Amino acid sequence: MRAPEPIVIQAFNPYHARYPDRRVVSRSALEFMKRARSSGYRVVVEPDDARPLEYHDQKGVQDLLYDPVILSIATMSVDIAQALFSSWLYDRLKSLNASPPLAGESRVVIEAERSGRLFRYDHAGAPISDERFADILAFMNKRQRDYARTVGQTSPFPDLPFPIHLEHTAKIV
């Protein structure tokens, strides 16, 4: 029985002007040669002289996208954009549901006494009238009563002794 003819691949150096003494094949030709040899075929690269065989690979945009560093940077930028949008949306929805008498105001009241008279100021130093202070106290007392009402309820989870409240409000999760 006669041995099969070898597969002959012609070497081609696209960079012959710069690197004239190199025997080069493309990466796809090299992969083909490996598969053919592993299947039992004999592969010869012409010219078959003493020079070592080298290969070249042309990279494109798809190869750039396979780079883990580029993928990490792209993923981080998407994560940052998502976090910014999520934060903006959360603030927007929170402002729509803000509780009325003190929406957007600080709940810090500084009380000072001068010449036997009480003065009240907010965190920025603006004076607070007695009527506004009464509104603030009424609001705080209402929150305290609502919270006290929910603390007495039993938790729906047997391993938690108290119910879980939503963001320091009287709403039970």
Side-chain angles (χ1 to χ4, degrees):
M1 184 163 151
R2 202 173 124 192
E5 292 291 321
I7 298 173
V8 178
I9 296 178
Q10 192 66 37
F12 172 70
N13 184 359
Y15 307 106
H16 180 73
R18 179 171 279 174
Y19 308 106
D21 295 327
R22 298 201 176 177
R23 192 169 69 133
V24 181
V25 294
S26 67
R27 182 168 183 99
S28 57
L30 181 67
E31 289 173 2
F32 171 76
M33 289 169 29
K34 287 179 180 180
R35 272 191 245 116
R37 284 180 178 156
S38 67
S39 297
Y41 292 96
R42 193 165 70 92
V43 179
V44 176
V45 178
E46 292 291 333
D48 193 6
D49 52 17
R51 292 180 296 172
L53 182 63
E54 299 178 35
Y55 71 93
H56 75 90
D57 194 10
Q58 292 180 336
K59 299 205 180 253
V61 174
Q62 71 275 9
D63 296 311
L64 179 69
L65 294 177
Y66 293 142
D67 185 4
V69 174
I70 301 296
L71 285 176
S72 298
I73 291 171
T75 304
M76 282 191 301
S77 62
V78 169
D79 290 344
I80 290 170
Q82 180 183 2
L84 289 173
F85 177 73
S86 173
S87 178
W88 172 82
L89 185 62
Y90 176 80
D91 291 342
R92 183 89 169 123
L93 293 174
K94 185 107 173 152
S95 68
L96 294 176
N97 296 331
S99 51
L102 296 174
E105 291 184 20
S106 171
R107 291 177 172 87
V108 175
V109 176
I110 301 168
E111 192 172 66
E113 183 181 344
R114 271 189 277 156
S115 305
R117 197 163 161 234
L118 283 177
F119 294 93
R120 295 181 183 97
Y121 301 93
D122 67 4
H123 70 287
I128 297 176
S129 66
D130 291 338
E131 296 81 25
R132 186 68 188 143
F133 183 68
D135 289 344
I136 292 171
L137 281 180
F139 176 76
M140 298 300 264
N141 288 332
K142 180 185 178 312
R143 280 189 61 189
Q144 185 179 20
R145 284 191 308 275
D146 291 345
Y147 183 77
R149 179 179 40 80
T150 61
V151 169
Q153 295 181 3
T154 58
S155 173
F157 304 103
D159 56 335
L160 299 174
F162 301 105
I164 299 172
H165 290 85
L166 176 69
E167 297 179 357
H168 310 286
T169 64
K171 295 178 184 175
I172 295 176
V173 177

